[in-house]
Each structure stands twice: as structure tokens, then as C-alpha cells.
Amino acid sequence: MAIQSLLIILVVLAVLLVIGVPISYAIGISSLAAILQVVPLDVSVLTAAQRTFVGMSKFSLTAIPFFVLAGNLMNQGGIAKRLVDFVLAILGKLPGSLLVTNAGANALFGAISGSASAAAAAVGSMVKEGEEEQGYDKALCAATNAASAPSGLLIPPSNALITYSLVSGGTSVAALFLAGYIPGVIWAVCCIIVAIIIAKKNGYKGTPGKFDWKNLGIATLRAIPALSLIIVVIGGIVAGVFTATEGSAIAVVYALILGICYRNITLKSFWKIVVDSAKMSGMIVFLIGVSNIMGWVMAFTQIPQAISAALLGLTNNYVIILLIMNVILLIAGTFMDVTPAILIFTPLFLPIVKTFGMNPIQFGLILVYNLCIGNITPPVGNTLFVAIKVGDTTLAKVIPYMLMYYVAILVGLLLVTYIPAVSLGLPMAAGML
């Protein structure tokens, strides 16, 4: 029954997505189609409605709308230029200074805004003029911008990690946030290394002259207010001063004050930001609620147990099992957004990794890292196409450069997958494990 139910879910889900049905409806309908073979229609529909309501009624979900609003306020708050100048002051002497700066600024801005696409659009636009003046290849710039943008989704505050915390049964958000730093930095560093290698090959040099400490000091002072958001919010959550939900509300207030001080947010623009944030939050929260139906169906039909038995029957080598999971997640990530993929694959794979003693925190970072790669991989690849549009180039020209970035990012994935300390080192040092 379990395998039959899983096949029904996958087939119906795939068909609905192909014909353009929204992912939330597709998840609900495919789940109901699977459970109807064992539960009457009236009971299935009633239970599905109850599970949706329960899924959306968790107080911890409030953190997601607040972080979405804080991110949108930051996007409009005029901080991208300050972050670009800050990173350029630090890394500007390296070969391909603007490429390296793009990668570093994307990590910072993506972490603050919570959106890889927003980072690619804002930071890419900021460095575009300088890249054109210095004769950089447009396709290379777009590839660097796209490849580095998702690194900010791993660095907290991260809505993806909050979603995983809810789906995984209450994994500590504070521990997940701490765990995300090193994988996020690894992603960014991988991109910077590739950028430097390509820059040397193409003769792109760093900014001329000696390292300018005065310029660094000025850039740091200008960037401190924006960077302080991460310190205040994440520091408070990790230290236990406030919860993730309370921290998200503080982030909104901080971002609003910052935007007003920078004179980039008006009453009219604030209203538009609130409306856009409400629409985005509504989609995310409803999606999480509907995913509860799928979770109930999987538990009722024992799908996770069947998949676990199948994989463990194939091999008991955890290295091979993790490799298979990574391949599945990488493929799925090319067709699905991060949030729905987390909702679908967490209940499938988490029970399996627990059988050989993997900490849920490490699996959460493996899951999110995999799915973030989908953000820059066709055919969906939203962040990739944003970077291509900003860079005024084409997919055909960008892909050859992207292949080099893919290799480096996948090396980072292997580190996160097979070296527990990469994800668990900081939470352990903070006494959370």
C-alpha cells in the first residue's frame, strides 16, 4: 500500500505541476488521491481540512511573515550599495575584484534579505556598471552573480531553515541558524575561488594601489547599521534573549527604522512592501498548511518506512545512501522551489538518516544546500534567470561558466554531507548539542 500510495502522489503531483496547477493545490490533491484508496471521501476531505488548519495554526509560523517583511524592507532600504562598498574594501585587491565582491556581497545581502533572487538583482545591478567599465565578460559576471546568490539562504536568518524546523518536528531554530553559517560561507568561498581562478586566466586584476585602511574604515561605518541586523537578531535568538518569532518582529522594526533613516522608504512604498509581503507570506503559510495533508497521508500509509526499508535493503552503506539522496534532491531542486521541496522530502528522508545516527540539524543543512542549487539550475532556476536578465546576456553564454561554479559548489555539498562538524561544529561549541 505504501509504494502504491507514493506512486499515486508522485504521478498526480507531476501531472498537475505540468499543466500549471499551483504547487499548494497540487500537493493537496495528490495527497487526497493517494489516501482515497483506503479512506472514504468524506472522511478524507474532513481530515484534510483539519490537518491544513492545524498546520497553519502553529505560533512559530509567525516568524516567516515577519522575516519576509523584514527582508523586503531591507531590499528597499538602500543597503545593497553599502554592503558592496564594504566587501570591495576588504576583497578589492584580489584578482577579478568586482567578481569577488559580487560573490561576497551576495552572501551578506542574501542573508539579510532572505532572498537569493533579490540579492542577485540588487547586488548585480550595483556592480554592473563597474564591470562594464573594466571590460568584464557579461556572461562571466552573470554566472558569478547567480552562483553566489543562494549562499545567503544558508546564512541566517533563513526562512528555509525555519520551515525545516517545523516540518522536522521542532528541530531547534537557534541551532539550525548557527549550523547554517559554515555551509553558507563554504558556498561563498567556493564561488570566490572559482572567480579568482577565472579572473587570473582572463587577466582581470584587483583594484590598483595599496590596501586602503581609511577606505575600509569608512565602508565599515556605512555598513555597520545593516550588518548589525544579523548580530542583533541572530545573537538574541542564539543567546536565548528572545525566540525566533520575537526576533523576526525585532528585525521588522530595525529594518523599518533603517530604511527611514536612509530615506529610501516612504509611506507609499511602505504600504506596497506590506502588501507584497502579505501575498508572499500567505502563499508560504498556506503551502505549509497543505503539506500537513501529505504528512498525514505518508504517516497513515507508512510511506517513509517503506522508502527506508527499500534504501536500506539496497545497501546499508550510509555513504551510498546519502549520495542517492543528494542525487534525488538535486534533480528535484531543478523543478521545485525550496519551500515545497522541504515539505515533501523532509518526512521521506529524515527517518532514514536517523537510522544511522545523523543529527536532524546536519540533515537540514544537507537538504537546504541541495535545494538551493536548484535555484541556479535550469529549467526553473529563478535566481539564474534573474542574474541573466540583470547581466543583459543569454543562458547559452552563461552555462559554460556556470559549469565551473557547479563543480565547486558540489564539492561544498560533499563537505556538508560527509563531515558532520561542518554543520554541527558551531551548535556544539555553543552548547546546543
Side-chain angles (χ1 to χ4, degrees):
M1 181 177 70
I3 299 300
Q4 183 180 352
S5 299
L6 178 61
L7 289 175
I8 292 174
I9 289 175
L10 294 177
V11 171
V12 175
L13 183 63
V15 171
L16 292 175
L17 291 178
V18 167
I19 64 176
V21 176
I23 182 67
S24 53
Y25 297 123
I27 289 176
I29 294 170
S30 62
S31 301
L32 283 176
I35 200 64
L36 283 176
Q37 60 179 324
V38 290
V39 177
L41 177 61
D42 55 344
V43 177
S44 298
V45 173
L46 179 61
T47 305
Q50 291 174 335
R51 298 309 304 171
T52 301
F53 180 77
V54 169
M56 293 190 297
S57 299
K58 297 175 181 176
F59 178 73
S60 53
L61 268 179
T62 312
I64 292 179
F66 276 130
F67 275 129
V68 168
L69 177 56
N72 286 338
L73 287 169
M74 281 291 186
N75 291 345
Q76 300 294 324
I79 68 168
K81 180 67 167 63
R82 290 170 170 83
L83 293 179
V84 168
D85 290 343
F86 173 66
V87 176
L88 182 60
I90 297 174
L91 304 178
K93 299 302 176 184
L94 295 173
S97 57
L98 291 180
L99 299 176
V100 173
T101 297
N102 195 336
N106 269 341
L108 288 178
F109 190 80
I112 292 172
S113 69
S115 170
S117 296
V123 177
S125 299
M126 290 295 170
V127 298
K128 181 180 179 181
E129 183 178 346
E131 290 169 339
E132 290 176 348
E133 288 177 355
Q134 297 183 30
Y136 282 71
D137 184 341
K138 286 185 177 181
L140 171 58
C141 296
T144 305
N145 190 24
S148 58
S151 60
L153 297 182
L154 292 161
I155 301 172
S158 168
N159 287 332
L161 293 177
I162 294 174
T163 303
Y164 171 77
S165 170
L166 294 169
V167 183
S168 63
T171 305
S172 168
V173 173
L176 283 168
F177 277 6
L178 267 186
Y181 278 108
I182 295 178
V185 170
I186 285 176
W187 184 309
V189 169
C190 287
C191 293
I192 288 173
I193 291 172
V194 173
I196 291 173
I197 292 172
I198 298 176
K200 284 187 174 181
K201 183 178 178 180
N202 289 274
Y204 300 134
K205 299 180 179 180
T207 55
K210 296 181 179 180
F211 189 87
D212 191 339
W213 288 98
K214 181 180 179 180
N215 182 46
L216 174 60
I218 294 172
T220 302
L221 288 174
R222 285 170 52 83
I224 279 177
L227 296 175
S228 295
L229 173 69
I230 299 177
I231 298 171
V232 171
V233 174
I234 305 306
I237 293 172
V238 171
V241 177
F242 40 74
T243 65
T245 303
E246 293 164 344
S248 65
I250 293 171
V252 170
V253 176
Y254 189 101
L256 179 58
I257 294 173
L258 202 61
I260 293 173
C261 291
Y262 287 161
R263 299 182 181 180
N264 288 308
I265 294 179
T266 63
L267 186 61
K268 183 179 179 180
S269 65
F270 175 70
W271 176 247
K272 184 179 185 302
I273 290 169
V274 170
V275 172
D276 290 344
S277 300
K279 291 178 180 178
M280 188 184 303
S281 301
M283 289 188 293
I284 295 173
V285 172
F286 180 65
L287 182 57
I288 291 174
V290 171
S291 74
N292 242 28
I293 304 174
M294 181 174 286
W296 164 63
V297 171
M298 288 182 178
F300 191 88
T301 57
Q302 297 186 324
I303 290 175
Q305 292 89 328
I307 293 177
S308 178
L311 277 178
L312 294 174
L314 181 66
T315 176
N316 59 3
N317 187 329
Y318 83 96
V319 174
I320 303 299
I321 291 175
L322 288 175
L323 187 61
I324 294 172
M325 287 183 182
N326 279 336
V327 171
I328 294 172
L329 291 171
L330 286 170
I331 294 173
T334 63
F335 296 95
M336 301 179 68
D337 287 332
V338 174
T339 299
I342 290 173
L343 298 172
I344 291 171
F345 288 102
T346 299
L348 286 178
F349 289 158
L350 184 57
I352 299 175
V353 298
K354 283 183 175 179
T355 60
F356 47 82
M358 176 177 285
N359 191 295
I361 294 172
Q362 182 186 357
F363 176 70
L365 270 299
I366 295 172
L367 177 66
V368 174
Y369 196 111
N370 269 292
L371 298 176
C372 282
I373 296 175
N375 264 329
I376 54 173
T377 309
V380 178
N382 294 328
T383 302
L384 174 61
F385 290 110
V386 168
I388 289 173
K389 184 177 180 181
V390 170
D392 191 25
T393 183
T394 64
L395 179 63
K397 293 178 180 177
V398 168
I399 284 297
Y401 291 115
M402 286 300 300
L403 293 176
M404 291 181 274
Y405 282 108
Y406 288 142
V407 171
I409 292 168
L410 288 174
V411 170
L413 174 60
L414 294 178
L415 295 176
V416 175
T417 301
Y418 294 112
I419 303 178
V422 171
S423 301
L424 304 181
L426 289 180
M428 289 180 67
M432 294 182 175
L433 297 178

